[in-house]
Structure formats: structure tokens, C-alpha cells
Amino acid sequence: QVQLVESGGGLVQTGSSLRVSCAASGLTFGLYAMGWFRQAPGKEREYVAAISRSGATIDYAESVNGRFTISRDNSRNTVYLQMSGLKPEDTAVYYCAAVRDYSRRYYYMASQYNYWGQGTQVTVSS
């Protein structure tokens, strides 16, 4: 079955950098667009970034644009989220998600995604 496993979360200070990873199995990774979402305590899950199946098209939420970088390595079945300039408001559980793509695009709505990981906690202290 399809599995998405996030890793790399942790506790960091304001202004630090951190990279979270998501390893996929049970699917043909290169056929799936990928996304990162996050959910803070008491808040709804929100979109962070997305990447098309080839990596050619990328999109970011306004709140992270210029600070976060999404990338993927199709040979390793892995998608990454490099985070820099972290702020306390970035504290959340970060989830990766996958959607079968037929149109070489990215997807920014959680409802569009078929598969989800279990999440990794990122905590930014002030």
C-alpha cells in the first residue's frame, strides 16, 4: 500500500533552518504531484507548498514564500521542504501529501490529495 513517511522535524530557535523529508513507497513516485501542508494546535490544516511530478512547477503559500523551498528527488522517491528564517508561527505538524497527476501541474487544496503522511512536528522557539 501507499506510504508517506515524514522525517526531520524538531525543536529549533527563531531564525534557524530545518529540512523535512517525505519518503514515499507503494506508488510510482514520478507520476504523483506532491504537497506540504501544516497544522498548528487549534487551527485548520493549511497549505504550505506544492511541486509538480517532474519538479518543473512549484508553488508556495504567501506566508512561506521566500523562506521555504520545496524540491523532489524522483530517483529517491522523496520530497523535501527546506525551511529557513523560521518563526514561532511556523510551529506546526508538517504533513506531506501525494496526488496522481495527469496534467503536469501542482495542487494547493488539501481535498485534491489522495495520500497523506503521519506528520512531523516542527517547533520554533522564540
Side-chain angles (χ1 to χ4, degrees):
Q1 74 274 22
V2 175
Q3 281 195 311
L4 302 177
V5 180
E6 300 96 335
S7 61
L11 172 63
V12 297
Q13 293 184 332
T14 296
S16 297
S17 297
L18 192 67
R19 188 178 80 164
V20 292
S21 303
C22 171
S25 61
L27 52 72
T28 304
F29 188 67
L31 298 180
Y32 284 75
M34 302 296 294
W36 284 98
F37 292 77
R38 66 186 182 186
Q39 188 166 19
K43 295 188 176 181
E44 293 188 353
R45 188 170 299 190
E46 67 170 346
Y47 168 72
V48 176
I51 189 167
S52 62
R53 58 182 181 173
S54 69
T57 307
I58 289 173
D59 184 64
Y60 298 97
E62 186 176 343
S63 59
V64 306
N65 195 23
R67 299 188 298 122
F68 290 12
T69 302
I70 188 171
S71 62
R72 64 189 294 160
D73 185 342
N74 286 356
S75 68
R76 297 178 181 270
N77 288 2
T78 302
V79 62
Y80 305 96
L81 186 68
Q82 176 70 48
M83 302 179 286
S84 61
L86 283 162
K87 307 174 182 179
E89 52 264 43
D90 294 318
T91 294
V93 177
Y94 283 71
Y95 299 90
C96 70
V99 56
R100 179 69 170 91
D101 173 58
Y102 298 92
S103 58
R104 304 177 187 272
R105 54 171 288 200
Y106 60 82
Y107 300 79
Y108 59 88
M109 295 178 62
S111 60
Q112 296 172 304
Y113 285 84
N114 306 119
Y115 303 104
W116 292 83
Q118 83 290 346
T120 186
Q121 176 71 46
V122 173
T123 303
V124 185
S125 64
S126 57

